[in-house]
Amino acid sequence: MLLFSRQGKLRLQKWYQAITQRDKKRITREIVSTVLSRKSKLCNFLEWKDLKIVYKRYASLYFCAAIDKDDNELITLELIHRYVELLDKYFGSVCELDIIFNFEKAYFMLDELVLGGEIQETSKKNVVKAIAAQDLMQEETEAIRGVLDEMGIP
């Protein structure tokens, strides 16, 4: 899964196969340039090497997934849409800056949706609950850390 801007800046990447860093950079560069060079009226699916690329543009961000030739493009497009809905729900109309400054939340939401490259959770309600629980845990940890700092305990 790749998220990138209209200018080609990579904002988030999640790989579900072991690939070297060098190959990741090459693949990312090729996919980003291919998707950005396509006209907006063209289909959101394209064949690339032995994979299918499914992408969708939301505002200034492209959400892109590479899937096997046998996988269903529409389910992947729905997964991308579900992810965007979750981001919108959490951030309130998500924008590129939300992803840049809160990338850990964006990764957490993606991890709640997809595990090992397969859809893990389809319920938006369950994902939102998990995110709320994680936020609460983070706030409690920060509060405890603040108390310990006040006491002089590192």
Side-chain angles (χ1 to χ4, degrees), residues 96-144:
E96 192 173 345
L97 289 175
D98 292 324
I99 302 295
I100 292 169
F101 292 115
N102 299 292
F103 64 90
E104 70 283 344
K105 293 290 183 205
Y107 276 114
F108 183 77
M109 286 183 218
L110 186 58
D111 288 342
E112 285 296 313
L113 274 179
V114 180
L115 180 67
E118 300 294 328
I119 298 173
Q120 170 181 302
E121 181 61 68
T122 57
S123 169
K124 284 189 282 189
K125 190 196 264 185
N126 288 345
V127 174
V128 168
K129 281 182 188 176
I131 294 165
Q134 197 250 355
D135 284 348
L136 182 62
M137 188 171 33
Q138 184 176 2
E139 288 172 10
E140 289 172 351
T141 303
E142 289 171 1
I144 291 169

mmCIF file of all heavy atoms in Angstrom, residues 96-144:
data_model
loop_
_atom_site.group_PDB
_atom_site.id
_atom_site.type_symbol
_atom_site.label_atom_id
_atom_site.label_comp_id
_atom_site.label_asym_id
_atom_site.label_seq_id
_atom_site.Cartn_x
_atom_site.Cartn_y
_atom_site.Cartn_z
ATOM 1 N N GLU A 96 -3.279 15.795 3.490
ATOM 2 C CA GLU A 96 -1.890 15.328 3.423
ATOM 3 C C GLU A 96 -1.121 15.632 4.705
ATOM 4 O O GLU A 96 -0.332 14.810 5.175
ATOM 5 C CB GLU A 96 -1.217 15.986 2.214
ATOM 6 C CG GLU A 96 0.093 15.399 1.844
ATOM 7 C CD GLU A 96 0.645 15.966 0.539
ATOM 8 O OE1 GLU A 96 -0.093 16.603 -0.227
ATOM 9 O OE2 GLU A 96 1.854 15.766 0.309
ATOM 10 N N LEU A 97 -1.366 16.789 5.302
ATOM 11 C CA LEU A 97 -0.664 17.164 6.535
ATOM 12 C C LEU A 97 -1.021 16.241 7.694
ATOM 13 O O LEU A 97 -0.179 15.957 8.550
ATOM 14 C CB LEU A 97 -0.967 18.613 6.904
ATOM 15 C CG LEU A 97 -0.333 19.665 5.995
ATOM 16 C CD1 LEU A 97 -0.809 21.054 6.375
ATOM 17 C CD2 LEU A 97 1.174 19.576 6.028
ATOM 18 N N ASP A 98 -2.271 15.759 7.721
ATOM 19 C CA ASP A 98 -2.651 14.803 8.766
ATOM 20 C C ASP A 98 -1.801 13.546 8.680
ATOM 21 O O ASP A 98 -1.355 13.012 9.700
ATOM 22 C CB ASP A 98 -4.131 14.423 8.641
ATOM 23 C CG ASP A 98 -5.059 15.577 8.955
ATOM 24 O OD1 ASP A 98 -4.727 16.374 9.854
ATOM 25 O OD2 ASP A 98 -6.108 15.682 8.299
ATOM 26 N N ILE A 99 -1.574 13.073 7.471
ATOM 27 C CA ILE A 99 -0.756 11.867 7.260
ATOM 28 C C ILE A 99 0.696 12.147 7.640
ATOM 29 O O ILE A 99 1.349 11.332 8.290
ATOM 30 C CB ILE A 99 -0.848 11.378 5.799
ATOM 31 C CG1 ILE A 99 -2.289 11.077 5.398
ATOM 32 C CG2 ILE A 99 0.054 10.179 5.568
ATOM 33 C CD1 ILE A 99 -2.935 9.943 6.126
ATOM 34 N N ILE A 100 1.195 13.314 7.269
ATOM 35 C CA ILE A 100 2.592 13.661 7.544
ATOM 36 C C ILE A 100 2.847 13.741 9.056
ATOM 37 O O ILE A 100 3.814 13.163 9.564
ATOM 38 C CB ILE A 100 2.975 14.993 6.866
ATOM 39 C CG1 ILE A 100 2.984 14.826 5.349
ATOM 40 C CG2 ILE A 100 4.327 15.504 7.362
ATOM 41 C CD1 ILE A 100 3.091 16.128 4.578
ATOM 42 N N PHE A 101 1.967 14.446 9.785
ATOM 43 C CA PHE A 101 2.209 14.691 11.204
ATOM 44 C C PHE A 101 1.668 13.596 12.120
ATOM 45 O O PHE A 101 2.007 13.562 13.293
ATOM 46 C CB PHE A 101 1.650 16.051 11.614
ATOM 47 C CG PHE A 101 2.398 17.192 10.996
ATOM 48 C CD1 PHE A 101 1.776 18.036 10.089
ATOM 49 C CD2 PHE A 101 3.736 17.402 11.292
ATOM 50 C CE1 PHE A 101 2.477 19.083 9.501
ATOM 51 C CE2 PHE A 101 4.438 18.445 10.708
ATOM 52 C CZ PHE A 101 3.811 19.283 9.810
ATOM 53 N N ASN A 102 0.814 12.727 11.596
ATOM 54 C CA ASN A 102 0.244 11.654 12.408
ATOM 55 C C ASN A 102 0.395 10.317 11.698
ATOM 56 O O ASN A 102 -0.532 9.510 11.679
ATOM 57 C CB ASN A 102 -1.236 11.940 12.689
ATOM 58 C CG ASN A 102 -1.452 13.211 13.451
ATOM 59 O OD1 ASN A 102 -1.087 13.304 14.612
ATOM 60 N ND2 ASN A 102 -2.012 14.202 12.793
ATOM 61 N N PHE A 103 1.556 10.094 11.123
ATOM 62 C CA PHE A 103 1.762 8.883 10.330
ATOM 63 C C PHE A 103 1.588 7.614 11.154
ATOM 64 O O PHE A 103 1.131 6.595 10.645
ATOM 65 C CB PHE A 103 3.129 8.898 9.643
ATOM 66 C CG PHE A 103 4.295 8.878 10.582
ATOM 67 C CD1 PHE A 103 4.844 7.680 10.994
ATOM 68 C CD2 PHE A 103 4.837 10.061 11.043
ATOM 69 C CE1 PHE A 103 5.915 7.655 11.867
ATOM 70 C CE2 PHE A 103 5.910 10.042 11.929
ATOM 71 C CZ PHE A 103 6.451 8.845 12.334
ATOM 72 N N GLU A 104 1.926 7.683 12.465
ATOM 73 C CA GLU A 104 1.784 6.483 13.291
ATOM 74 C C GLU A 104 0.316 6.081 13.426
ATOM 75 O O GLU A 104 -0.010 4.892 13.440
ATOM 76 C CB GLU A 104 2.437 6.669 14.664
ATOM 77 C CG GLU A 104 1.760 7.632 15.603
ATOM 78 C CD GLU A 104 2.006 9.112 15.307
ATOM 79 O OE1 GLU A 104 2.934 9.451 14.566
ATOM 80 O OE2 GLU A 104 1.253 9.941 15.839
ATOM 81 N N LYS A 105 -0.583 7.058 13.474
ATOM 82 C CA LYS A 105 -2.025 6.757 13.526
ATOM 83 C C LYS A 105 -2.484 6.177 12.185
ATOM 84 O O LYS A 105 -3.295 5.247 12.162
ATOM 85 C CB LYS A 105 -2.842 8.018 13.827
ATOM 86 C CG LYS A 105 -2.616 8.561 15.192
ATOM 87 C CD LYS A 105 -3.214 7.660 16.239
ATOM 88 C CE LYS A 105 -3.021 8.297 17.599
ATOM 89 N NZ LYS A 105 -3.015 7.333 18.658
ATOM 90 N N ALA A 106 -1.969 6.713 11.107
ATOM 91 C CA ALA A 106 -2.337 6.203 9.784
ATOM 92 C C ALA A 106 -1.879 4.756 9.620
ATOM 93 O O ALA A 106 -2.622 3.909 9.091
ATOM 94 C CB ALA A 106 -1.734 7.083 8.691
ATOM 95 N N TYR A 107 -0.673 4.450 10.099
ATOM 96 C CA TYR A 107 -0.182 3.076 10.053
ATOM 97 C C TYR A 107 -1.018 2.161 10.949
ATOM 98 O O TYR A 107 -1.340 1.039 10.575
ATOM 99 C CB TYR A 107 1.289 2.998 10.490
ATOM 100 C CG TYR A 107 2.274 3.285 9.396
ATOM 101 C CD1 TYR A 107 3.090 4.402 9.448
ATOM 102 C CD2 TYR A 107 2.406 2.427 8.311
ATOM 103 C CE1 TYR A 107 4.003 4.671 8.441
ATOM 104 C CE2 TYR A 107 3.323 2.684 7.305
ATOM 105 C CZ TYR A 107 4.115 3.806 7.379
ATOM 106 O OH TYR A 107 5.012 4.065 6.378
ATOM 107 N N PHE A 108 -1.366 2.649 12.136
ATOM 108 C CA PHE A 108 -2.155 1.843 13.057
ATOM 109 C C PHE A 108 -3.509 1.493 12.443
ATOM 110 O O PHE A 108 -3.964 0.350 12.529
ATOM 111 C CB PHE A 108 -2.329 2.580 14.388
ATOM 112 C CG PHE A 108 -3.079 1.780 15.410
ATOM 113 C CD1 PHE A 108 -2.455 0.744 16.088
ATOM 114 C CD2 PHE A 108 -4.411 2.045 15.689
ATOM 115 C CE1 PHE A 108 -3.143 -0.009 17.030
ATOM 116 C CE2 PHE A 108 -5.105 1.300 16.626
ATOM 117 C CZ PHE A 108 -4.472 0.272 17.297
ATOM 118 N N MET A 109 -4.154 2.482 11.809
ATOM 119 C CA MET A 109 -5.451 2.225 11.164
ATOM 120 C C MET A 109 -5.316 1.202 10.040
ATOM 121 O O MET A 109 -6.157 0.309 9.908
ATOM 122 C CB MET A 109 -6.032 3.524 10.613
ATOM 123 C CG MET A 109 -6.575 4.425 11.663
ATOM 124 S SD MET A 109 -7.297 5.878 10.906
ATOM 125 C CE MET A 109 -6.814 7.101 12.081
ATOM 126 N N LEU A 110 -4.260 1.325 9.258
ATOM 127 C CA LEU A 110 -4.036 0.375 8.177
ATOM 128 C C LEU A 110 -3.780 -1.019 8.735
ATOM 129 O O LEU A 110 -4.292 -2.016 8.204
ATOM 130 C CB LEU A 110 -2.865 0.831 7.305
ATOM 131 C CG LEU A 110 -2.584 0.012 6.049
ATOM 132 C CD1 LEU A 110 -3.803 -0.035 5.136
ATOM 133 C CD2 LEU A 110 -1.384 0.589 5.308
ATOM 134 N N ASP A 111 -3.028 -1.099 9.826
ATOM 135 C CA ASP A 111 -2.755 -2.394 10.451
ATOM 136 C C ASP A 111 -4.021 -3.024 11.029
ATOM 137 O O ASP A 111 -4.131 -4.246 11.091
ATOM 138 C CB ASP A 111 -1.700 -2.260 11.545
ATOM 139 C CG ASP A 111 -0.312 -2.009 10.992
ATOM 140 O OD1 ASP A 111 -0.090 -2.277 9.792
ATOM 141 O OD2 ASP A 111 0.549 -1.536 11.753
ATOM 142 N N GLU A 112 -4.962 -2.202 11.473
ATOM 143 C CA GLU A 112 -6.230 -2.734 11.975
ATOM 144 C C GLU A 112 -7.084 -3.276 10.827
ATOM 145 O O GLU A 112 -7.846 -4.213 11.015
ATOM 146 C CB GLU A 112 -7.013 -1.657 12.732
ATOM 147 C CG GLU A 112 -6.465 -1.358 14.099
ATOM 148 C CD GLU A 112 -6.551 -2.540 15.046
ATOM 149 O OE1 GLU A 112 -7.606 -3.174 15.131
ATOM 150 O OE2 GLU A 112 -5.535 -2.830 15.706
ATOM 151 N N LEU A 113 -6.940 -2.690 9.653
ATOM 152 C CA LEU A 113 -7.716 -3.134 8.484
ATOM 153 C C LEU A 113 -7.094 -4.332 7.782
ATOM 154 O O LEU A 113 -7.791 -5.258 7.389
ATOM 155 C CB LEU A 113 -7.806 -1.995 7.453
ATOM 156 C CG LEU A 113 -8.914 -0.985 7.594
ATOM 157 C CD1 LEU A 113 -8.804 0.060 6.501
ATOM 158 C CD2 LEU A 113 -10.269 -1.636 7.559
ATOM 159 N N VAL A 114 -5.786 -4.286 7.608
ATOM 160 C CA VAL A 114 -5.088 -5.281 6.797
ATOM 161 C C VAL A 114 -3.987 -5.932 7.632
ATOM 162 O O VAL A 114 -3.214 -5.235 8.283
ATOM 163 C CB VAL A 114 -4.463 -4.620 5.545
ATOM 164 C CG1 VAL A 114 -3.743 -5.638 4.688
ATOM 165 C CG2 VAL A 114 -5.521 -3.910 4.726
ATOM 166 N N LEU A 115 -3.931 -7.246 7.595
ATOM 167 C CA LEU A 115 -2.904 -7.991 8.316
ATOM 168 C C LEU A 115 -2.257 -8.957 7.342
ATOM 169 O O LEU A 115 -2.930 -9.804 6.758
ATOM 170 C CB LEU A 115 -3.518 -8.741 9.503
ATOM 171 C CG LEU A 115 -2.567 -9.561 10.345
ATOM 172 C CD1 LEU A 115 -1.595 -8.636 11.069
ATOM 173 C CD2 LEU A 115 -3.327 -10.394 11.350
ATOM 174 N N GLY A 116 -0.973 -8.818 7.139
ATOM 175 C CA GLY A 116 -0.253 -9.715 6.237
ATOM 176 C C GLY A 116 -0.729 -9.641 4.799
ATOM 177 O O GLY A 116 -0.644 -10.610 4.059
ATOM 178 N N GLY A 117 -1.258 -8.486 4.402
ATOM 179 C CA GLY A 117 -1.721 -8.323 3.031
ATOM 180 C C GLY A 117 -3.145 -8.804 2.793
ATOM 181 O O GLY A 117 -3.649 -8.743 1.688
ATOM 182 N N GLU A 118 -3.806 -9.264 3.840
ATOM 183 C CA GLU A 118 -5.187 -9.751 3.728
ATOM 184 C C GLU A 118 -6.089 -8.895 4.609
ATOM 185 O O GLU A 118 -5.675 -8.424 5.662
ATOM 186 C CB GLU A 118 -5.289 -11.216 4.165
ATOM 187 C CG GLU A 118 -4.446 -12.175 3.355
ATOM 188 C CD GLU A 118 -4.892 -12.307 1.906
ATOM 189 O OE1 GLU A 118 -6.109 -12.186 1.642
ATOM 190 O OE2 GLU A 118 -4.026 -12.536 1.051
ATOM 191 N N ILE A 119 -7.331 -8.733 4.186
ATOM 192 C CA ILE A 119 -8.282 -7.947 4.962
ATOM 193 C C ILE A 119 -8.511 -8.631 6.305
ATOM 194 O O ILE A 119 -8.844 -9.807 6.364
ATOM 195 C CB ILE A 119 -9.612 -7.776 4.201
ATOM 196 C CG1 ILE A 119 -9.377 -7.009 2.898
ATOM 197 C CG2 ILE A 119 -10.633 -7.050 5.075
ATOM 198 C CD1 ILE A 119 -10.584 -6.942 2.000
ATOM 199 N N GLN A 120 -8.320 -7.869 7.375
ATOM 200 C CA GLN A 120 -8.470 -8.402 8.724
ATOM 201 C C GLN A 120 -9.817 -8.009 9.317
ATOM 202 O O GLN A 120 -10.493 -8.822 9.928
ATOM 203 C CB GLN A 120 -7.347 -7.862 9.605
ATOM 204 C CG GLN A 120 -7.532 -8.157 11.079
ATOM 205 C CD GLN A 120 -6.409 -7.589 11.900
ATOM 206 O OE1 GLN A 120 -5.274 -7.908 11.677
ATOM 207 N NE2 GLN A 120 -6.738 -6.738 12.860
ATOM 208 N N GLU A 121 -10.186 -6.761 9.157
ATOM 209 C CA GLU A 121 -11.400 -6.253 9.794
ATOM 210 C C GLU A 121 -12.193 -5.435 8.784
ATOM 211 O O GLU A 121 -11.649 -4.539 8.150
ATOM 212 C CB GLU A 121 -11.031 -5.380 10.996
ATOM 213 C CG GLU A 121 -12.193 -4.804 11.752
ATOM 214 C CD GLU A 121 -13.103 -5.858 12.350
ATOM 215 O OE1 GLU A 121 -12.664 -6.565 13.271
ATOM 216 O OE2 GLU A 121 -14.253 -5.982 11.880
ATOM 217 N N THR A 122 -13.478 -5.735 8.643
ATOM 218 C CA THR A 122 -14.316 -4.991 7.707
ATOM 219 C C THR A 122 -15.205 -3.968 8.412
ATOM 220 O O THR A 122 -15.722 -3.068 7.771
ATOM 221 C CB THR A 122 -15.206 -5.948 6.890
ATOM 222 O OG1 THR A 122 -15.993 -6.726 7.788
ATOM 223 C CG2 THR A 122 -14.354 -6.843 6.012
ATOM 224 N N SER A 123 -15.341 -4.092 9.711
ATOM 225 C CA SER A 123 -16.215 -3.205 10.471
ATOM 226 C C SER A 123 -15.486 -1.909 10.821
ATOM 227 O O SER A 123 -14.493 -1.924 11.556
ATOM 228 C CB SER A 123 -16.691 -3.898 11.740
ATOM 229 O OG SER A 123 -17.315 -2.979 12.596
ATOM 230 N N LYS A 124 -16.010 -0.798 10.333
ATOM 231 C CA LYS A 124 -15.430 0.498 10.684
ATOM 232 C C LYS A 124 -15.576 0.757 12.181
ATOM 233 O O LYS A 124 -14.682 1.317 12.812
ATOM 234 C CB LYS A 124 -16.121 1.620 9.905
ATOM 235 C CG LYS A 124 -15.707 1.718 8.465
ATOM 236 C CD LYS A 124 -16.265 2.957 7.827
ATOM 237 C CE LYS A 124 -17.720 2.749 7.476
ATOM 238 N NZ LYS A 124 -18.292 3.829 6.673
ATOM 239 N N LYS A 125 -16.681 0.319 12.741
ATOM 240 C CA LYS A 125 -16.951 0.523 14.163
ATOM 241 C C LYS A 125 -15.879 -0.156 15.016
ATOM 242 O O LYS A 125 -15.370 0.434 15.973
ATOM 243 C CB LYS A 125 -18.325 -0.040 14.504
ATOM 244 C CG LYS A 125 -18.812 0.336 15.902
ATOM 245 C CD LYS A 125 -19.962 -0.524 16.352
ATOM 246 C CE LYS A 125 -21.297 0.032 16.127
ATOM 247 N NZ LYS A 125 -22.395 -0.767 16.685
ATOM 248 N N ASN A 126 -15.504 -1.389 14.670
ATOM 249 C CA ASN A 126 -14.482 -2.109 15.432
ATOM 250 C C ASN A 126 -13.112 -1.452 15.311
ATOM 251 O O ASN A 126 -12.341 -1.393 16.274
ATOM 252 C CB ASN A 126 -14.411 -3.566 14.996
ATOM 253 C CG ASN A 126 -15.605 -4.365 15.453
ATOM 254 O OD1 ASN A 126 -16.361 -3.936 16.324
ATOM 255 N ND2 ASN A 126 -15.788 -5.531 14.861
ATOM 256 N N VAL A 127 -12.795 -0.952 14.125
ATOM 257 C CA VAL A 127 -11.508 -0.273 13.929
ATOM 258 C C VAL A 127 -11.478 1.018 14.733
ATOM 259 O O VAL A 127 -10.483 1.323 15.401
ATOM 260 C CB VAL A 127 -11.238 -0.013 12.431
ATOM 261 C CG1 VAL A 127 -9.985 0.826 12.243
ATOM 262 C CG2 VAL A 127 -11.111 -1.320 11.676
ATOM 263 N N VAL A 128 -12.570 1.765 14.719
ATOM 264 C CA VAL A 128 -12.637 3.014 15.485
ATOM 265 C C VAL A 128 -12.494 2.727 16.979
ATOM 266 O O VAL A 128 -11.812 3.467 17.705
ATOM 267 C CB VAL A 128 -13.944 3.777 15.166
ATOM 268 C CG1 VAL A 128 -14.172 4.921 16.147
ATOM 269 C CG2 VAL A 128 -13.919 4.304 13.742
ATOM 270 N N LYS A 129 -13.114 1.642 17.464
ATOM 271 C CA LYS A 129 -12.962 1.256 18.880
ATOM 272 C C LYS A 129 -11.507 0.954 19.210
ATOM 273 O O LYS A 129 -11.000 1.360 20.260
ATOM 274 C CB LYS A 129 -13.813 0.025 19.183
ATOM 275 C CG LYS A 129 -15.274 0.289 19.386
ATOM 276 C CD LYS A 129 -15.984 -1.009 19.723
ATOM 277 C CE LYS A 129 -17.481 -0.846 19.761
ATOM 278 N NZ LYS A 129 -18.173 -2.122 19.992
ATOM 279 N N ALA A 130 -10.833 0.223 18.335
ATOM 280 C CA ALA A 130 -9.424 -0.109 18.570
ATOM 281 C C ALA A 130 -8.562 1.151 18.585
ATOM 282 O O ALA A 130 -7.641 1.271 19.407
ATOM 283 C CB ALA A 130 -8.931 -1.080 17.500
ATOM 284 N N ILE A 131 -8.864 2.083 17.718
ATOM 285 C CA ILE A 131 -8.108 3.337 17.658
ATOM 286 C C ILE A 131 -8.349 4.140 18.934
ATOM 287 O O ILE A 131 -7.417 4.692 19.532
ATOM 288 C CB ILE A 131 -8.487 4.147 16.404
ATOM 289 C CG1 ILE A 131 -8.042 3.398 15.152
ATOM 290 C CG2 ILE A 131 -7.871 5.537 16.442
ATOM 291 C CD1 ILE A 131 -8.667 3.916 13.886
ATOM 292 N N ALA A 132 -9.599 4.198 19.386
ATOM 293 C CA ALA A 132 -9.927 4.920 20.617
ATOM 294 C C ALA A 132 -9.220 4.286 21.811
ATOM 295 O O ALA A 132 -8.700 5.003 22.682
ATOM 296 C CB ALA A 132 -11.437 4.935 20.832
ATOM 297 N N ALA A 133 -9.190 2.963 21.870
ATOM 298 C CA ALA A 133 -8.498 2.272 22.965
ATOM 299 C C ALA A 133 -7.007 2.573 22.937
ATOM 300 O O ALA A 133 -6.378 2.795 23.981
ATOM 301 C CB ALA A 133 -8.735 0.767 22.868
ATOM 302 N N GLN A 134 -6.434 2.598 21.754
ATOM 303 C CA GLN A 134 -5.006 2.896 21.628
ATOM 304 C C GLN A 134 -4.717 4.339 22.024
ATOM 305 O O GLN A 134 -3.731 4.616 22.693
ATOM 306 C CB GLN A 134 -4.545 2.620 20.194
ATOM 307 C CG GLN A 134 -3.063 2.491 20.045
ATOM 308 C CD GLN A 134 -2.443 3.643 19.298
ATOM 309 O OE1 GLN A 134 -3.100 4.531 18.798
ATOM 310 N NE2 GLN A 134 -1.131 3.615 19.215
ATOM 311 N N ASP A 135 -5.589 5.270 21.648
ATOM 312 C CA ASP A 135 -5.423 6.673 22.038
ATOM 313 C C ASP A 135 -5.483 6.822 23.557
ATOM 314 O O ASP A 135 -4.688 7.546 24.157
ATOM 315 C CB ASP A 135 -6.500 7.548 21.399
ATOM 316 C CG ASP A 135 -6.240 7.819 19.930
ATOM 317 O OD1 ASP A 135 -5.120 7.534 19.460
ATOM 318 O OD2 ASP A 135 -7.160 8.325 19.262
ATOM 319 N N LEU A 136 -6.432 6.120 24.180
ATOM 320 C CA LEU A 136 -6.575 6.177 25.638
ATOM 321 C C LEU A 136 -5.323 5.634 26.325
ATOM 322 O O LEU A 136 -4.814 6.232 27.280
ATOM 323 C CB LEU A 136 -7.812 5.383 26.074
ATOM 324 C CG LEU A 136 -8.118 5.383 27.562
ATOM 325 C CD1 LEU A 136 -8.408 6.791 28.067
ATOM 326 C CD2 LEU A 136 -9.287 4.464 27.851
ATOM 327 N N MET A 137 -4.824 4.523 25.824
ATOM 328 C CA MET A 137 -3.619 3.931 26.394
ATOM 329 C C MET A 137 -2.428 4.883 26.250
ATOM 330 O O MET A 137 -1.627 5.029 27.174
ATOM 331 C CB MET A 137 -3.315 2.596 25.698
ATOM 332 C CG MET A 137 -2.192 1.822 26.345
ATOM 333 S SD MET A 137 -1.948 0.137 25.749
ATOM 334 C CE MET A 137 -2.392 0.173 24.056
ATOM 335 N N GLN A 138 -2.328 5.556 25.117
ATOM 336 C CA GLN A 138 -1.233 6.496 24.892
ATOM 337 C C GLN A 138 -1.351 7.685 25.855
ATOM 338 O O GLN A 138 -0.347 8.126 26.425
ATOM 339 C CB GLN A 138 -1.241 6.979 23.448
ATOM 340 C CG GLN A 138 -0.081 7.873 23.093
ATOM 341 C CD GLN A 138 -0.091 8.252 21.619
ATOM 342 O OE1 GLN A 138 -0.977 7.877 20.869
ATOM 343 N NE2 GLN A 138 0.902 9.000 21.213
ATOM 344 N N GLU A 139 -2.566 8.193 26.057
ATOM 345 C CA GLU A 139 -2.771 9.314 26.977
ATOM 346 C C GLU A 139 -2.415 8.918 28.408
ATOM 347 O O GLU A 139 -1.789 9.695 29.134
ATOM 348 C CB GLU A 139 -4.223 9.787 26.913
ATOM 349 C CG GLU A 139 -4.572 10.514 25.633
ATOM 350 C CD GLU A 139 -6.064 10.792 25.509
ATOM 351 O OE1 GLU A 139 -6.814 10.590 26.496
ATOM 352 O OE2 GLU A 139 -6.482 11.194 24.417
ATOM 353 N N GLU A 140 -2.812 7.705 28.818
ATOM 354 C CA GLU A 140 -2.495 7.235 30.171
ATOM 355 C C GLU A 140 -0.989 7.089 30.357
ATOM 356 O O GLU A 140 -0.445 7.455 31.399
ATOM 357 C CB GLU A 140 -3.188 5.904 30.437
ATOM 358 C CG GLU A 140 -4.684 6.014 30.600
ATOM 359 C CD GLU A 140 -5.378 4.665 30.680
ATOM 360 O OE1 GLU A 140 -4.721 3.621 30.448
ATOM 361 O OE2 GLU A 140 -6.584 4.649 30.970
ATOM 362 N N THR A 141 -0.321 6.567 29.345
ATOM 363 C CA THR A 141 1.133 6.403 29.411
ATOM 364 C C THR A 141 1.819 7.755 29.545
ATOM 365 O O THR A 141 2.747 7.918 30.341
ATOM 366 C CB THR A 141 1.648 5.655 28.167
ATOM 367 O OG1 THR A 141 0.980 4.403 28.083
ATOM 368 C CG2 THR A 141 3.148 5.441 28.215
ATOM 369 N N GLU A 142 1.355 8.743 28.765
ATOM 370 C CA GLU A 142 1.939 10.077 28.835
ATOM 371 C C GLU A 142 1.690 10.722 30.193
ATOM 372 O O GLU A 142 2.553 11.417 30.737
ATOM 373 C CB GLU A 142 1.404 10.945 27.699
ATOM 374 C CG GLU A 142 1.934 10.540 26.335
ATOM 375 C CD GLU A 142 1.252 11.255 25.185
ATOM 376 O OE1 GLU A 142 0.364 12.100 25.423
ATOM 377 O OE2 GLU A 142 1.613 10.970 24.028
ATOM 378 N N ALA A 143 0.495 10.496 30.766
ATOM 379 C CA ALA A 143 0.186 11.047 32.092
ATOM 380 C C ALA A 143 1.089 10.437 33.158
ATOM 381 O O ALA A 143 1.619 11.150 34.018
ATOM 382 C CB ALA A 143 -1.286 10.797 32.430
ATOM 383 N N ILE A 144 1.281 9.119 33.094
ATOM 384 C CA ILE A 144 2.163 8.444 34.058
ATOM 385 C C ILE A 144 3.591 8.933 33.901
ATOM 386 O O ILE A 144 4.287 9.203 34.888
ATOM 387 C CB ILE A 144 2.075 6.908 33.884
ATOM 388 C CG1 ILE A 144 0.698 6.418 34.340
ATOM 389 C CG2 ILE A 144 3.185 6.207 34.656
ATOM 390 C CD1 ILE A 144 0.414 4.975 33.980
#
